[in-house]
Amino acid sequence: MSEEHRHRLDWDTYFMRIAQLVAERSTCLRAKVGAVIVRERSIIATGYNGAPSGMPHCLEAGCLIYRTRTPDGAEEENCFRTIHAEINAIAQAAKHGNAINGASIYITASPCIHCLKVLINAGMKRIYYATPYKLHTIEEMVRMSGIEFVQVSVPPLPEELQA
């Protein structure tokens, strides 16, 4: 067996790569995000950002963008149509009767403040993310929550696995 084929992914890279693949199902025109909820090295649920089941997706009907201001005055854009990947993963777990209290979540981008609040209330133990997203808006809440918050650097896929 060649040296190249002896390499085995660590668990964090494995689950983050799965989250990246899940993100490919996203129907959001602005960002593709994937999430994987894991307990004891087993996947409990996955989610990607998109419209609720049976509703038109942004790919078909366009984004319904609205703008708001944060307490510090920064303007944010959001879409009325899209549910975030983390929320979809939690919804899938609930729909199928899978408890997630004490689980970990792997997300392709760090959570927004709203998703972080839901992840805290859902009992997530650890949040792993690949790409930082507005970390300054959540750092105090992460610190106060006691949740382990870990950035995972994911090496590129080997050439033979790239599409």
Side-chain angles (χ1 to χ4, degrees):
M1 182 178 284
S2 72
E3 188 63 36
E4 179 180 308
H5 289 93
R6 289 179 204 214
H7 174 72
R8 187 172 186 199
L9 297 178
D10 63 78
W11 287 108
D12 292 340
T13 302
Y14 172 74
F15 289 123
M16 192 60 75
R17 282 216 178 135
I18 292 170
Q20 290 173 328
L21 186 59
V22 170
E24 292 302 311
R25 288 276 307 153
S26 171
T27 59
C28 179
L29 297 171
R30 296 172 52 228
K32 290 178 172 278
V33 179
V36 177
I37 299 175
V38 174
R39 181 184 295 110
E40 296 175 10
R41 297 183 179 164
S42 292
I43 295 172
I44 297 170
T46 65
Y48 52 87
N49 52 335
S53 296
M55 307 296 277
H57 292 280
C58 293
L59 287 175
E60 304 155 359
C63 287
L64 294 174
I65 299 297
Y66 68 96
R67 289 173 180 77
T68 57
R69 292 216 177 267
T70 64
D72 67 1
E75 187 174 275
E76 286 194 339
E77 286 188 352
N78 287 289
C79 178
F80 276 116
R81 194 180 312 276
T82 298
I83 300 170
H84 289 188
E86 303 92 320
I87 305 300
N88 266 330
I90 291 168
Q92 285 300 309
K95 185 177 181 178
H96 298 290
N98 296 321
I100 59 173
N101 187 35
S104 298
I105 189 166
Y106 290 80
I107 317 164
T108 57
S110 58
C112 70
I113 189 74
H114 306 293
C115 289
L116 177 60
K117 290 184 280 187
V118 174
L119 293 169
I120 291 167
N121 276 4
M124 286 297 142
K125 200 165 52 168
R126 284 182 205 86
I127 297 172
Y128 297 92
Y129 68 95
T131 304
Y133 173 75
K134 298 183 181 181
L135 290 177
H136 67 283
T137 64
I138 63 171
E139 62 190 11
E140 183 179 359
M141 191 169 289
V142 168
R143 183 183 49 75
M144 290 172 56
S145 72
I147 292 175
E148 189 177 344
F149 203 70
V150 181
Q151 184 172 15
V152 176
S153 297
V154 181
L157 283 172
E159 231 177 89
E160 64 271 11
L161 297 177
Q162 294 180 16

